[in-house]
């Protein structure tokens, strides 16, 4: 009797989706919301099967907003818990699932197998990683440091953690403490340890959640007392930074069987040690530049951001490892409790937990990997690809190609590579292996792939870098001052990351030109975190304008010189608290030599007209690169993306410069933690007085000819017509006396508003995505609605208080204090290169967020010292009503060209969970409403 064969359910169950593979269909399901997936399960028997896969619900759950997670026994239950949206086909969406015949899927079966496989057969106790006991520091430095891995026993013998770091004992002491979870999604997930241990005991995930917490020392400080850094790793050059400034460097790691870390190279090409206290880990490692089979490296050619596509640890060992020939297999070992493995800089590694494990690991920078770390943060992209993918990153035309095209490592080794070697690399010696060139992980070799024309100050910063641009500059400066014995090494690294040799040579030429004594050794390095190279030389400060390219630099210095001129002619007390300008000019590189031309901001220097094309100059003005020319330039930049801003900066060998009097004392950033409250309060009063004097200075008038020139550029009339094209606004605009200066100001604000969504998306975390989606609803239709509109004696509305001189960048490194007897007294405000015309409220933003850290008492002290009101803000909706000043300030934060929102949400974790911009406004700026 013939057997009855079940019909294939797939064609009818998927309809037109039948042409897609199961993997693609599952990928599409990952893009849906949890309620939609629950409903789609009702569509057909095949959709029911696909929509009830636990890996799908795990992804859906982890892609929700950042929160503390509590596992409910299955990922579907966990995801739907609290949503109150049930599958319409099933009153209980989490009951025992239905089963159907006639449907088979190799993709789902392999995933199911990974979820339930046992790892007893993965033990590899011997391995081929060298094992050492009682390894001396001298032997480690000579044979292993930055050279090859080693597995060392005995380093944790005296640790308390060796006895107490077990799931049972940690649960007793830290069960209620939340720890961070490592997972593939972008959201930050945490779990209480008791909930995580419960999850480990219940789960059957192919890639289980993994505690990988870099903040465990803050969450549970006593854990730091349970271990110490082994004697083999005494140095970490990041330790010159404050704890909240340095990149993550130490992690508590807890994970169940099947969990682990997929293939990666450690951040910033740092080295690492990892000590296992409980369980067993299997390690696989490849030397630098040897991309593991199944891994793809992507390097963004705009900002050098590195992204790695890799299978999970378990999937790699199951699906890719068996394909490798013996000679292409990685270096391997099984790490046992009490053993410490050392991973050198740049080495690829992958870890699989064979059972429940607990470990601690730290990354560090020392003399042997310092230059590599600096290289990783240098501008450009080609060197980053070569650092991770070796010569696989190169092709004939010099572009990055790092996909392995499903070839195994043996085939790649034998396949002939065509590598273009630049002429300046011809003197490098390459060891040849058959027809392929042997990759050399040597700093002098890797430096050859740097884009030497790119400038650190003008390049997009990669989000994959472990610290920001300002933090990098601050780190290298603190190393230079704090570790004088390492200055030869620090100089080499800084030349890679900052082009320090270039700017130092330029600074020394400027000193010679202006008869300034050449800098001492500690003065040869650019100071602080500023956006331009700045040097303290004797009694002078030498600043070279580099940021955002030549045009932006000319406007920065031109406007600063115009402001200084107006300030010096006034009776304002502000001039007693602004450093004197001693010299200013243009420096340029010609035929390999630096040449200088003095420039006071008036007229257009001949070198500019000869070597550049700049069209934002206002004719018939005393300062052609002054404030109104700068406002026109601001308008043009306001509509650009971040990439366009960098691109328009261009590359130039011409730079403006200024030399000012050096202030004796310290910046507030260096004194914040030691000043008593009374002196910080005095600083708030001082800033209020200086802001008052700044905001009442006369503004350079915009004459008719200049405005006609600007209006042509701005197309003001057309934009205004578009903005007020309907209803009461159309009638309102006819009754507003809008001066030319105000028209320019409002036009720029509205231009900044146009691209706000894409800008916030580019900045990303920690700005909540759900707020980015609502940002255009929150912002006003037109910024004119929000500004001091008052009726004059004729009943016509006029604009007030929207065009004052504003500093825009008064932060803790731009305020100076002098020591008088035993106390510190505020003395100077400096760095006026970001000077602009605008709403005085703009100056409150950096002061309140950066200097005051949101302290309302200090803000009140400043406002009382300021004395003059900032002015009430009105909007029009069936008549005049007062608009909250907190709303206006929040709007300024949103459209700000700097990532102000990143600072706001970075300071407050609670704000990342709010549902509206109004909540953020009230929390950050609500107190302003009490004073206006």
């Amino acid at each position: 009797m013939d057997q009855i064969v079940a019909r294939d359910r797939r064609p009818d169950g998927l309809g037109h989706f039948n042409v897609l593979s199961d993997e693609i269909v599952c990928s599409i399901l990952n893009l849906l919301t949890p309620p939609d997936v629950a409903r789609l399960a009702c569509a057909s028997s095949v959709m029911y099967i696909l929509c009830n896969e636990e890996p799908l619900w795990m992804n859906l759950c982890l892609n929700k907003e950042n929160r503390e997670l509590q596992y409910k026994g299955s990922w579907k239950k966990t995801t739907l818990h609290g949503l109150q949206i049930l599958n319409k086909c099933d009153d209980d969406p989490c009951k025992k699932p239905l089963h159907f015949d006639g449907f088979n899927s190799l993709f789902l079966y392999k995933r199911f197998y990974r979820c339930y496989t046992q790892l007893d057969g993965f033990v590899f106790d011997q391995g081929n990683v060298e094992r050492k006991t009682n390894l001396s520091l001298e032997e480690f430095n000579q044979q292993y440091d930055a050279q090859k891995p080693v597995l060392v026993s005995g380093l944790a013998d005296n640790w308390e953690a060796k006895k107490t770091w077990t799931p049972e004992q940690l649960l007793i002491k830290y069960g209620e403490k939340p720890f961070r979870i490592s997972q593939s999604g972008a959201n930050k997930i945490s779990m209480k340890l008791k909930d995580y241990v419960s999850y480990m005991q219940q789960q059957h995930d192919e890639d289980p959640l993994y505690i990988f917490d870099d903040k465990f020392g803050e969450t549970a400080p006593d854990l730091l007392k349970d271990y110490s850094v082994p004697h083999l790793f005494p140095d970490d050059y990041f330790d010159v930074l404050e704890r909240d400034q340095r990149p993550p460097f130490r992690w508590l790691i807890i994970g169940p069987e099947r969990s682990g870390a997929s293939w990666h190279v450690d951040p910033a090409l740092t080295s690492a040690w990892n000590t296992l206290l409980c369980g067993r880990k299997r390690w696989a490692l490849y030397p630098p530049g040897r991309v593991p089979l199944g891994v793809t490296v992507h390097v963004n050619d705009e900002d050098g951001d590195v992204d790695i596509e890799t299978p999970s640890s378990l999937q790699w060992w199951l699906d890719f490892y068996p394909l490798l020939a013996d000679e292409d297999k990685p270096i391997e070992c099984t790490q046992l409790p009490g053993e410490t493995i050392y991973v050198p800089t740049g080495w690829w590694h992958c870890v699989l937990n064979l059972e429940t494990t607990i470990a601690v690991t730290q990354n560090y920078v020392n003399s042997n990997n310092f230059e590599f770390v600096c290289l990783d943060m240098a501008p450009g992209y080609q060197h980053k690809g070569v650092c991770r993918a070796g010569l696989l990153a190169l092709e004939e035309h010099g572009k990055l190609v790092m996909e392995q095209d499903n070839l195994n490592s043996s085939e790649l080794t034998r396949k002939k590579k065509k590598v273009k070697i630049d002429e300046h690399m011809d003197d490098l010696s390459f060891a040849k292996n058959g027809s392929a060139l042997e990759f050399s992980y040597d700093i002098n070799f890797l430096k050859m792939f740097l884009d030497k024309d790119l400038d650190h100050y003008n390049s997009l910063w990669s989000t994959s870098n472990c610290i920001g641009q300002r933090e990098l500059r601050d780190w290298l400066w603190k190393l230079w001052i704090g570790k004088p014995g390492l200055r030869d090494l620090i100089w080499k690294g800084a030349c890679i990351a900052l082009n320090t040799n270039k700017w130092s040579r330029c600074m020394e030429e400027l000193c010679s030109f202006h008869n300034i004594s050449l800098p001492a050794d500690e003065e040869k390095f650019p100071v602080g975190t500023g956006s331009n190279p700045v040097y303290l030389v004797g009694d002078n400060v030498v600043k070279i304008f580099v940021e955002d390219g030549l045009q932006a630099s000319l406007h920065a210095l031109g406007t600063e010189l115009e402001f200084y001129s107006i300030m010096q002619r006034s009776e304002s007390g502000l001039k007693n608290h602004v450093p004197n300008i001693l010299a200013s000019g243009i420096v340029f590189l010609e035929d390999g030599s630096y040449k200088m031309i003095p420039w006071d901001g008036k007229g257009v220097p001949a070198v500019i007209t000869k070597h550049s094309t700049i069209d934002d100059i206002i004719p018939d003005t005393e300062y052609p690169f002054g404030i109104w020319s700068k406002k026109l330039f601001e308008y043009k930049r306001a509509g650009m993306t971040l990439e366009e801003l960098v691109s328009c900066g261009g590359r130039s060998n011409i730079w403006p410069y200024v030399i000012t009097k050096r202030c004796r004392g310290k910046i507030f950033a260096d004194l914040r933690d030691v000043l008593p409250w009374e002196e910080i309060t005095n600083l708030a009063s001082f800033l209020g007085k200086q802001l008052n004097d700044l905001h009442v200075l006369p503004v350079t008038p915009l004459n008719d000819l200049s405005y006609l020139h600007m209006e042509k550029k701005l197309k003001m009339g057309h934009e205004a017509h578009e903005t007020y094209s309907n209803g009461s606004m159309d009638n309102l605009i006819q009754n507003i006396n809008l001066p030319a200066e105000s028209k320019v100001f409002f036009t720029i604000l509205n231009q900044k508003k146009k691209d706000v969504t894409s800008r916030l998306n580019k900045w990303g975390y920690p700005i909540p995505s759900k707020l980015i989606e609502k940002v255009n609803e929150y912002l006003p239709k037109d910024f004119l609605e929000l500004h001091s509109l008052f009726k004059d004696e004729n009943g016509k509305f006029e604009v007030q208080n929207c065009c004052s001189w504003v500093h825009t960048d008064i932060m803790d490194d731009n305020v100076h204090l002098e020591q008088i007897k035993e106390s510190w007294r505020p003395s100077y405000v400096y760095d006026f290169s970001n000077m602009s015309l605008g709403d005085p409220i703009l100056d409150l933003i950096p002061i309140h967020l950066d200097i005051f850290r949101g302290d309302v008492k200090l803000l009140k002290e400043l406002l009382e010292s300021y004395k003059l009101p900032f002015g009430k803000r009105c909007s029009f909706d069936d008549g005049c009503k007062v608009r909250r000043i907190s709303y206006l300030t929040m709007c300024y934060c949103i459209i700000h060209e700097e990532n102000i929102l990143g600072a706001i949400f970075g300071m407050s974790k609670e704000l990342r969970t709010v549902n509206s911009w109004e909540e953020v406004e009230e929390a950050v700026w609500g107190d302003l409403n009490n004073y206006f």
Side-chain angles (χ1 to χ4, degrees):
M1 185 174 181
D2 295 336
Q3 289 185 342
I4 298 176
V5 179
R7 66 180 178 86
D8 185 1
R9 291 179 178 272
R10 199 177 193 282
D12 293 337
L14 290 182
H16 292 304
F17 282 101
N18 183 49
V19 299
L20 303 177
S21 68
D22 293 342
E23 184 174 4
I24 293 177
V25 174
C26 289
S27 297
I28 294 173
L29 294 178
N30 274 298
L31 302 176
L32 304 181
T33 65
D36 286 340
V37 172
R39 296 185 184 103
L40 189 58
C42 302
S44 71
S45 57
V46 176
M47 274 300 181
Y48 177 87
I49 295 170
L50 295 175
C51 290
N52 278 286
E53 284 290 302
E54 273 290 274
L56 167 65
W57 285 99
M58 183 180 185
N59 288 334
L60 293 175
C61 184
L62 298 180
N63 285 333
K64 292 169 65 177
E65 287 297 327
N66 306 340
R67 71 206 183 284
E68 191 172 294
L69 182 67
Q70 189 174 27
Y71 186 66
K72 297 295 181 179
S74 78
W75 284 109
K76 187 172 183 179
K77 286 182 180 179
T78 305
T79 307
L80 294 180
H81 179 72
L83 288 180
Q84 298 180 346
I85 299 176
L86 301 181
N87 189 325
K88 292 182 179 180
C89 292
D90 197 341
D91 291 333
D92 181 3
C94 302
K95 70 179 185 181
K96 186 176 180 180
L98 302 174
H99 295 280
F100 300 95
D101 57 7
F103 178 76
N104 297 292
S105 171
L106 180 61
F107 171 73
L108 296 185
Y109 172 76
K110 290 174 70 175
R111 198 155 68 173
F112 178 83
Y113 174 81
R114 290 193 292 269
C115 289
Y116 286 89
T117 189
Q118 301 294 312
L119 301 185
D120 294 342
F122 280 71
V123 176
F124 199 87
D125 289 336
Q126 295 304 313
N128 49 8
V129 174
E130 291 186 41
R131 282 184 139 86
K132 292 287 183 179
T133 303
N134 298 323
L135 184 65
S136 69
L137 178 59
E138 181 181 9
E139 185 181 359
F140 173 76
N141 289 336
Q142 290 178 352
Q143 299 184 26
Y144 301 102
D145 195 10
Q147 299 175 59
K148 58 182 177 180
V150 63
L151 198 58
V152 186
S153 59
L155 298 181
D157 285 352
N158 297 321
W159 289 5
E160 185 68 20
K162 190 173 182 182
K163 297 178 290 185
T164 61
W165 284 26
T166 65
E168 296 76 18
Q169 294 192 58
L170 291 180
L171 190 59
I172 294 172
K173 191 171 183 180
Y174 303 107
E176 295 296 329
K177 297 288 186 181
F179 292 93
R180 295 185 177 189
I181 302 297
S182 173
Q183 46 91 23
S184 57
N187 293 321
K188 305 297 182 182
I189 305 294
S190 64
M191 294 180 75
K192 289 182 179 178
L193 185 60
K194 67 176 184 180
D195 293 329
Y196 180 74
V197 171
S198 175
Y199 160 78
M200 285 199 301
Q201 294 169 347
Q202 299 179 68
Q203 60 82 31
H204 278 285
D205 295 331
E206 63 170 329
D207 190 15
L209 295 183
Y210 196 22
I211 286 183
F212 201 79
D213 193 342
D214 63 301
K215 300 292 185 182
F216 75 95
E218 288 83 346
T219 302
D222 285 349
L223 288 173
L224 298 177
K225 302 175 184 177
D226 292 344
Y227 78 96
S228 58
V229 176
H231 73 280
L232 299 180
F233 320 107
D235 298 324
D236 184 2
Y237 294 168
F238 274 132
D239 61 10
V240 298
L241 295 175
E242 298 296 328
R243 180 66 184 90
D244 60 345
Q245 294 176 317
R246 66 174 302 171
F249 71 103
R250 62 187 176 206
W251 289 265
L252 171 69
I253 308 173
I254 304 176
E257 182 182 17
R258 296 188 309 281
S259 64
S262 55
W263 283 107
H264 66 285
V265 173
D266 278 347
L269 301 182
T270 52
S271 301
W273 57 267
N274 178 302
T275 300
L276 184 62
L277 286 313
C278 173
R280 294 176 298 172
K281 291 176 182 282
R282 181 164 177 178
W283 287 76
L285 305 100
Y286 279 113
R290 181 96 176 263
V291 182
L293 179 65
V295 175
T296 301
V297 182
H298 298 279
V299 181
N300 189 313
D301 61 3
E302 292 177 340
D303 59 10
D305 189 27
V306 178
D307 180 53
I308 296 172
E309 291 184 13
T310 174
S312 68
S313 306
L314 178 60
Q315 185 179 359
W316 186 84
W317 251 290
L318 288 174
D319 295 349
F320 293 91
Y321 183 84
L323 302 178
L324 299 174
D326 288 343
E327 63 270 20
D328 295 319
K329 287 183 177 178
I331 300 172
E332 302 177 70
C333 69
T334 296
Q335 183 184 19
L336 303 177
E339 293 183 328
T340 300
I341 190 169
Y342 164 71
V343 181
T345 180
W347 276 67
W348 286 92
H349 51 287
C350 173
V351 187
L352 180 65
N353 291 318
L354 305 180
E355 53 198 30
T356 297
T357 62
I358 300 176
V360 63
T361 185
Q362 290 195 187
N363 287 67
Y364 65 92
V365 184
N366 67 3
S367 58
N368 287 320
N369 65 12
F370 175 73
E371 290 181 80
F372 290 99
V373 173
C374 292
L375 178 74
D376 191 64
M377 289 185 278
Y381 68 96
Q382 184 164 270
H383 65 281
K384 290 199 172 189
V386 175
C387 282
R388 286 160 180 80
L391 298 181
L392 189 64
L394 301 177
E395 68 170 4
E396 249 185 316
H397 302 293
K399 295 183 180 179
L400 292 181
V401 181
M402 285 156 281
E403 298 189 27
Q404 294 209 357
D405 298 327
N406 297 319
L407 297 175
N408 65 38
S409 298
S410 178
E411 289 172 319
L412 283 170
T413 303
R414 299 185 182 100
K415 183 176 179 179
K416 183 176 181 180
K417 302 187 187 85
K418 295 181 179 179
V419 182
K420 179 181 178 182
I421 304 297
D422 294 335
E423 292 182 2
H424 64 275
M425 295 167 56
D426 287 344
D427 58 338
L428 291 174
S429 59
F430 294 92
K432 292 195 173 182
N433 179 14
S435 61
L437 292 172
E438 188 81 6
F439 175 63
S440 172
Y441 206 70
D442 175 82
I443 191 65
N444 293 319
F445 170 76
L446 295 175
K447 283 193 300 185
M448 294 297 179
F449 296 96
L450 283 169
D451 187 338
K452 294 180 174 56
D453 291 330
L454 277 184
D455 191 273
H456 164 82
Y457 295 95
N458 288 325
S459 302
L460 278 176
W461 193 247
S462 169
T463 56
S464 64
N465 287 348
C466 67
I467 54 177
Q469 280 173 298
R470 290 178 177 270
E471 288 79 10
L472 172 64
R473 295 190 282 262
D474 188 39
W475 176 50
L476 294 176
W477 160 250
K478 287 179 176 177
L479 280 176
W480 184 261
I481 298 300
K483 297 183 181 293
L486 295 173
R487 282 183 179 166
D488 287 343
L489 175 66
I490 297 167
W491 186 260
K492 290 179 181 178
C495 287
I496 294 172
L498 301 179
N499 285 338
T500 308
N501 50 342
K502 169 185 174 181
W503 301 118
S504 177
R505 181 184 163 208
C506 181
M507 176 270 297
E508 291 177 355
E509 294 289 344
L510 287 172
C511 290
S512 297
F513 183 79
H514 290 284
N515 296 317
I516 297 172
S517 299
L518 290 178
D521 189 49
E522 65 271 12
E523 298 174 334
K524 295 171 65 174
F525 206 88
V527 302
T529 64
S531 301
N532 298 285
V534 176
Y535 295 88
L536 304 179
V537 184
D539 293 328
N540 310 283
V541 179
V542 180
K543 178 178 180 178
I544 305 168
F545 288 80
V546 174
E547 186 183 26
D548 293 335
L550 175 60
Q551 193 166 356
S553 297
L554 285 169
H555 284 106
L557 180 56
T559 298
E560 186 171 355
L561 293 172
E562 180 181 12
F563 166 74
Y564 266 79
S565 175
I566 291 174
M567 180 183 61
Q568 293 300 332
R569 294 197 303 266
S570 73
E571 298 300 322
S572 173
L574 178 65
K575 59 187 176 184
N576 298 319
H577 299 284
V578 175
N580 293 330
I581 291 181
L582 305 177
S584 59
I586 307 292
V587 57
F588 57 100
L589 192 60
E590 188 175 80
D591 298 328
S593 300
Y594 287 98
K595 298 181 180 179
M596 275 64 65
I597 298 176
W599 182 54
D600 60 1
K602 299 177 181 179
V604 181
V607 67
I608 302 301
T609 57
K610 179 180 178 181
H611 294 287
S612 65
T613 302
I614 297 178
D615 57 0
D616 292 331
I617 301 174
I618 304 297
D620 301 321
T621 55
E622 186 178 15
Y623 289 89
F625 293 101
I627 187 59
W628 290 114
S629 176
K630 185 176 185 179
K631 297 304 289 184
L632 183 60
F633 183 60
E634 282 181 23
Y635 170 77
K636 184 173 73 173
R637 288 166 53 88
M640 294 182 179
T641 64
L642 293 176
E643 292 79 7
E644 290 171 336
L645 286 172
V646 173
S647 176
C648 79
R651 304 181 184 185
S652 172
N653 287 325
I654 307 172
W655 308 281
Y657 71 88
V658 64
I659 301 176
T660 59
K661 179 183 176 182
R662 181 174 180 178
C663 304
R664 294 299 174 181
K666 291 187 176 182
I667 58 175
F668 178 63
D670 293 338
L671 296 170
R672 176 191 297 275
D673 296 332
V674 299
L675 288 182
W677 175 254
E678 181 182 0
E679 293 180 18
I680 296 178
T681 303
N682 291 339
L683 172 62
S685 298
F686 169 81
L687 291 174
K689 178 63 170 63
Q690 304 318 310
L691 282 187
N692 182 352
D693 290 344
L694 169 63
H695 295 161
V696 300
L697 280 176
V699 174
T700 306
L702 182 61
N703 60 49
D704 292 339
L705 181 62
S706 297
Y707 178 66
L708 288 174
H709 176 80
M710 293 190 73
E711 189 175 37
K712 182 179 178 181
K713 294 276 186 180
L714 299 174
K715 299 179 181 179
M716 185 71 177
H718 175 67
E719 292 192 9
H721 176 73
E722 285 188 334
T723 304
Y724 300 101
S725 57
N726 55 41
S728 59
M729 275 296 167
D730 225 8
N731 299 326
L732 174 63
I733 192 67
Q734 299 175 12
N735 296 317
I736 296 179
N737 179 18
L738 198 61
E741 292 89 345
S742 298
K743 288 184 179 180
V744 174
F745 176 66
F746 290 127
T747 301
I748 293 173
L749 288 179
N750 290 326
Q751 182 76 351
K752 289 181 177 180
K753 183 169 72 82
K754 287 183 177 180
D755 194 42
V756 65
T757 301
S758 62
R759 181 176 290 267
L760 299 190
N761 278 321
K762 178 69 176 179
W763 280 328
Y765 181 82
I767 307 173
S769 56
K770 62 183 176 182
L771 293 188
I772 296 178
E773 295 172 0
K774 300 176 181 179
V775 68
N776 286 312
E777 299 174 16
Y778 178 78
L779 292 172
K781 181 179 180 182
D782 191 291
F783 270 86
L784 181 58
E785 301 175 40
L786 307 183
H787 282 271
S788 304
L789 299 171
F790 296 101
K791 285 185 178 180
D792 62 16
E793 57 186 12
N794 298 318
K796 193 169 185 178
F797 288 105
E798 62 180 14
V799 176
Q800 298 179 2
N801 294 339
C802 71
C803 275
S804 301
W805 286 103
V806 287
H807 185 288
T808 76
D809 194 30
I810 301 179
M811 301 176 74
D812 60 5
D813 56 348
N814 288 333
V815 178
H816 215 81
L817 296 91
E818 293 180 345
Q819 190 170 24
I820 300 177
K821 295 183 178 180
E822 299 298 322
S823 63
W824 289 91
R825 183 177 302 174
S827 54
Y828 289 96
V829 176
Y830 48 74
D831 193 1
F832 286 79
S833 59
N834 288 325
M835 177 65 69
S836 185
L837 293 182
D839 191 327
I841 289 291
L842 288 167
D843 275 333
L844 285 186
I845 294 174
I847 291 176
H848 186 50
L849 295 179
D850 186 70
I851 296 180
F852 296 167
R853 301 284 172 87
D855 192 296
V856 178
K857 294 179 181 178
L858 294 176
L859 178 63
K860 180 180 180 181
E861 190 72 30
L862 179 145
L863 293 173
E864 290 179 352
S865 176
Y866 187 90
K867 294 182 180 178
L868 293 180
F870 282 89
K872 289 185 177 181
R873 315 292 154 147
C874 302
S875 76
F876 292 82
D877 183 9
D878 299 324
C880 180
K881 66 178 181 182
V882 175
R883 171 74 88 167
R884 303 180 308 273
I885 196 170
S886 60
Y887 173 69
L888 173 62
T889 312
M890 191 70 233
C891 290
Y892 281 146
C893 292
I894 292 173
I895 67 168
H896 206 285
E897 58 270 15
E898 300 291 338
N899 191 4
I900 299 295
L901 296 179
I904 289 175
F905 291 107
M907 287 192 302
S908 174
K909 296 180 182 178
E910 291 76 15
L911 286 180
R912 301 175 199 171
T913 61
V914 301
N915 295 310
S916 69
W917 286 105
E918 285 78 7
E919 293 177 75
V920 182
E921 170 198 332
E922 177 60 30
V924 181
W925 301 111
D927 288 287
L928 279 179
N929 299 321
N930 299 328
Y931 307 116
F932 298 98

